[in-house]
């Protein structure tokens, strides 16, 4: 709770500094004069993105198990609510717990499934970022550094996903460096990672389908942000957006602020500076926050039933299964 309050304070502090530097009256005017057709299209993309993500969750289920499409959507929307209030996208981990409590999977397999799902998401985001940075027209030393850093992150992620022994060595090293409490969590994650590796690499066709779907989902995410720019009557070449918007999203994933608010907004202002002013970038930041807020709003009606399930079981049992 204290950490959450600290993250909220940090977000508010960053926003106060950021909005003290922009034209707040101009910000309102930007939304008043926005292209309403593009605004509806861009905000409406939340629906197909959520539905395709739910379909992917269905495809991740092992043979002999089933997950209805409506249930998959409810799980994703409920996790979106928790992602708004829990640090480091922990709502997705809780989603695995909900899946176990609903009887869809045993605890360890549900956790490994979600770990694989989020790993595919991160690697897909890094892939689009690398592609965008490669074709970015005006790379200075900072952008070359980011290109190398993101590329190394992508390569490391693929290697950890592809080589079980390398992943085990990585987890063992991290456990030695971590505290006892964190070491226990890393041990659970290592077990789930190994189970995930054995399960998904046993079916190369399934692995390819899930990977391709993940790449397409993140293409839609980045396309949505480009549509936001069009809705604000601004302009950035699409391939430039492929480089810049993933960097802003990655900044928002840092476990410093509340749901990435503040760090993501600041990154957007700095990264898009060559293409439009800070006020427009701040408006883009608000729209990017809506990408998380709208699914969370849609998940509120379903969260109660899942929290009721959570009271019927023990979270510690989930990680021991």
């Amino acid at each position: 709770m204290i950490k959450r309050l600290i993250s909220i304070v940090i977000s508010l502090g960053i926003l106060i500094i950021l909005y003290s530097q922009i034209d707040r009256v101009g910000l309102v005017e930007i939304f008043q004069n926005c292209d309403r057709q593009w605004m509806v299209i861009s905000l409406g993309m939340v629906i197909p993105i959520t539905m395709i993500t739910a379909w992917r969750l269905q495809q991740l289920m092992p043979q002999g198990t089933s997950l209805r499409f409506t249930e998959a959507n409810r799980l994703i929307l409920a996790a979106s609510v928790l992602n708004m209030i829990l640090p480091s996208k922990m709502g997705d981990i809780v989603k695995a717990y909900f899946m176990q409590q609903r009887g869809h999977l045993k605890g360890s397999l549900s956790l490994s499934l979600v770990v694989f799902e989020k790993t595919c998401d991160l690697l897909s985001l890094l892939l689009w970022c690398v592609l965008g940075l490669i074709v970015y027209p005006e790379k200075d030393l900072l952008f070359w550094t980011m290109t190398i850093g993101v590329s190394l992150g992508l390569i490391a992620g693929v290697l950890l996903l592809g080589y079980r022994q390398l992943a085990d060595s990585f987890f063992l090293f991290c456990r030695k460096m971590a505290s006892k409490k964190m070491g226990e969590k890393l041990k659970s994650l290592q077990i789930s990672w190994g189970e995930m590796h054995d399960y998904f690499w046993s079916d190369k066709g399934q692995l390819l389908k899930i990977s391709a779907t993940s790449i397409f989902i993140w293409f839609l995410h980045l396309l949505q942000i480009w549509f936001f720019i069009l809705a604000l009557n601004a302009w950035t070449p699409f391939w430039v957006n492929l480089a810049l918007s993933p960097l802003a999203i990655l900044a928002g994933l840092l476990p410093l602020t509340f749901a990435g608010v503040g760090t993501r907004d600041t990154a957007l202002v700095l990264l898009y500076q060559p293409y439009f002013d800070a006020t427009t970038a701040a408006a883009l930041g608000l729209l990017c926050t809506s990408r998380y807020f709208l699914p969370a709003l849609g998940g509120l009606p379903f969260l109660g039933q899942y929290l009721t399930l959570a009271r019927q079981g023990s979270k510690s049992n989930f990680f021991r299964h």
Side-chain angles (χ1 to χ4, degrees):
M1 185 64 180
I2 298 298
K3 291 182 179 179
R4 188 80 307 204
L5 289 175
I6 292 174
S7 68
I8 292 174
V9 170
I10 293 174
S11 286
L12 289 175
I14 294 174
L15 289 178
I16 289 172
I17 295 173
L18 177 63
Y19 280 88
S20 67
Q21 305 296 318
I22 68 170
D23 180 5
R24 293 182 293 278
V25 175
L27 180 64
V28 175
E29 291 177 349
I30 286 176
F31 282 108
Q32 289 176 338
N33 299 323
C34 70
D35 187 313
R36 285 169 174 74
Q37 184 176 1
W38 276 116
M39 187 64 73
V40 171
I41 292 172
S42 58
L43 292 174
M45 283 193 68
V46 168
I47 297 173
I49 289 173
T50 302
M51 294 177 68
I52 296 173
T53 304
W55 180 83
R56 181 185 63 177
L57 184 59
Q58 279 189 295
Q59 305 310 305
L60 285 167
M61 298 295 290
Q63 291 184 355
T65 62
S66 63
L67 180 67
R68 290 183 295 112
F69 183 65
T70 52
E71 176 75 0
N73 276 281
R74 286 197 292 263
L75 282 165
I76 289 170
L77 293 173
S80 298
V81 182
L82 295 173
N83 280 334
M84 291 291 294
I85 58 178
L86 296 177
S88 303
K89 297 290 185 179
M90 282 298 293
D92 290 299
I93 302 300
V94 179
K95 178 177 68 178
Y97 177 61
F98 290 156
M99 292 175 69
Q100 182 231 340
Q101 290 296 99
R102 297 283 280 188
H104 298 298
L105 294 169
K106 67 177 184 177
S108 59
L109 185 56
S110 63
L111 180 60
S112 65
L113 184 148
V114 171
V115 167
F116 180 73
E117 179 188 34
K118 303 325 293 179
T119 300
C120 284
D121 279 336
L122 179 58
L123 292 180
S124 298
L125 177 63
L126 292 177
L127 175 64
W128 284 116
C129 188
V130 169
L131 293 176
L133 286 169
I134 289 174
V135 300
Y136 189 76
E138 299 178 7
K139 284 193 284 290
D140 54 14
L141 179 60
L142 176 61
F143 267 87
W144 276 115
T145 302
M146 288 190 291
T147 302
I148 294 172
V150 174
S151 299
L152 290 175
L154 175 61
I155 293 170
V158 171
L159 290 175
L160 290 174
L161 188 64
Y163 296 95
R164 172 75 178 272
Q165 292 182 339
L166 180 63
D168 286 338
S169 299
F170 172 77
F171 281 114
L172 287 173
F173 173 78
C174 291
R175 286 168 57 188
K176 289 180 180 179
M177 302 297 292
S179 63
K180 184 177 180 179
K181 183 177 180 180
M182 181 58 68
E184 289 299 316
K185 293 181 180 179
L186 287 171
K187 183 178 179 180
S188 297
L189 183 59
Q190 181 180 0
I191 294 171
S192 297
W193 189 275
E195 187 171 0
M196 173 270 295
H197 186 279
D198 293 339
Y199 170 66
F200 287 104
W201 278 97
S202 64
D203 187 344
K204 301 296 193 302
Q206 177 78 348
L207 179 66
L208 179 62
K209 179 171 67 173
I210 298 301
S211 300
T213 304
S214 300
I215 292 171
F216 178 65
I217 287 172
W218 272 98
F219 172 80
L220 293 179
H221 279 297
L222 303 180
L223 182 65
Q224 181 187 32
I225 295 175
W226 190 59
F227 285 169
F228 283 153
I229 295 173
L230 300 181
L232 296 172
N233 293 311
W235 172 253
T236 303
F238 180 66
W239 57 86
V240 170
N241 184 68
L242 285 181
L244 301 184
S245 55
L247 292 174
I249 292 172
L250 290 171
L253 293 178
L254 296 174
L256 301 173
T257 55
F258 175 73
V261 175
T263 49
R264 184 173 53 246
D265 300 79
T266 303
L268 289 169
V269 170
L270 295 175
L271 291 169
Y272 284 91
Q273 190 174 18
Y275 299 95
F276 40 78
D277 58 37
T279 305
T280 303
L284 179 60
L286 292 174
L287 290 175
C288 286
T289 299
S290 74
R291 297 175 60 251
Y292 306 94
F293 177 76
L294 290 177
L297 191 64
L300 283 175
F302 310 117
L303 184 62
Q305 61 178 296
Y306 290 118
L307 292 179
T308 300
L309 284 172
R311 298 189 191 101
Q312 299 172 355
S314 167
K315 191 172 182 180
S316 59
N317 289 336
F318 165 65
F319 284 105
R320 283 201 297 267
H321 284 340

